[in-house]
Amino acid sequence: MSSHRIGLLALQGDYEAHGKALVRAGFPRCDMVEIRSFSDLQFLTAIIIPGGESTVMSMLLERFGMFEELKRQIENGMPVLATCAGLILLAKNIEGNDQMGLGVLDIKVKRNAYGRQVDSFHAPVQTIIDSVGIIEGIFIRAPRILASGKEVEHLAIYENEPVMVRQGSIIAATFHPELLPDAPVHRWFIQTFV
């Protein structure tokens, strides 16, 4: 067993898909922990925040007393991979919404920017990561990144817009890389940050 421990925020959303992606990327399931309480946040090497419903995640983090501790750990450099609603939860600014977010990622986002569930789509996404390259972006009620701060690096582009970004050890995507069979984003995240 390794000394690395990846947390899967398991309050809401498809965290199980991320667990399966980590296994496909070569990370042992025994080194994953589902985060449902404050005590689960202890001794993590990294955390994954899944897609789902960002307002519900925010509310549950607050209700279970985890909001400030999670924010503190991310601000102190704990690596995080967030997708879709997870990206919204991390954003400093959410257009047209006053939901409480962690505010640790210097981006402005718009929720459900591509439309409703029936408007979900797949499209090629160009990354700047050599080991990842061009991948299939799976956009499900996806947010759109409207603006980003100077410390935010654009890692992937779709139609000339950023769809995956990095700020320090924070990686966030508007799409769902956990659904890709070969899990290239998760593999890169493990190799780079864990």
Side-chain angles (χ1 to χ4, degrees), residues 1-183:
M1 181 188 268
S2 78
S3 60
H4 299 299
R5 202 165 171 250
I6 295 183
L8 301 169
L9 189 64
L11 299 177
Q12 195 269 340
D14 195 2
Y15 57 89
E16 290 178 354
H18 283 281
K20 291 174 183 174
L22 287 171
V23 170
R24 291 193 307 274
F27 194 80
R29 184 165 289 283
C30 61
D31 292 335
M32 296 177 220
V33 60
E34 293 180 359
I35 307 298
R36 292 193 172 93
S37 68
F38 183 88
S39 63
D40 295 333
L41 288 171
Q42 306 310 306
F43 311 113
L44 295 179
T45 305
I47 192 165
I48 293 179
I49 304 176
E53 177 48 60
S54 60
T55 53
V56 172
M57 284 187 216
S58 178
M59 179 191 68
L60 292 173
L61 282 169
E62 185 66 27
R63 179 182 296 165
F64 298 129
M66 301 187 328
F67 191 92
E68 291 301 324
E69 177 62 15
L70 179 58
K71 180 175 180 172
R72 183 191 69 74
Q73 287 191 33
I74 294 170
E75 286 177 334
N76 286 339
M78 180 176 64
V80 57
L81 172 61
T83 59
C84 200
L87 171 139
I88 296 168
L89 186 63
L90 296 178
K92 279 193 177 175
N93 188 323
I94 305 165
E95 182 180 87
N97 194 306
D98 59 358
Q99 84 177 63
M100 184 170 63
L102 293 167
V104 294
L105 179 58
D106 191 9
I107 59 171
K108 178 179 181 179
V109 298
K110 180 177 180 181
R111 299 173 76 229
N112 302 324
Y114 296 98
R116 300 175 303 159
Q117 185 80 20
V118 296
D119 301 311
S120 300
F121 63 96
H122 296 210
V125 169
Q126 176 66 58
T127 75
I128 64 165
I129 305 164
D130 289 339
S131 63
V132 176
I134 298 174
I135 57 174
E136 181 179 23
I138 302 168
F139 295 84
I140 304 170
R141 293 179 59 216
R144 179 175 263 147
I145 299 170
L146 303 176
S148 57
K150 63 182 180 180
E151 293 184 12
V152 176
E153 179 183 12
H154 297 174
L155 297 179
I157 302 294
Y158 168 70
E159 291 191 344
N160 298 315
E161 292 185 9
V163 292
M164 187 165 70
V165 295
R166 174 182 180 180
Q167 180 181 315
S169 58
I170 299 171
I171 307 299
T174 63
F175 58 98
H176 290 272
E178 72 275 13
L179 300 178
L180 298 176
D182 51 351

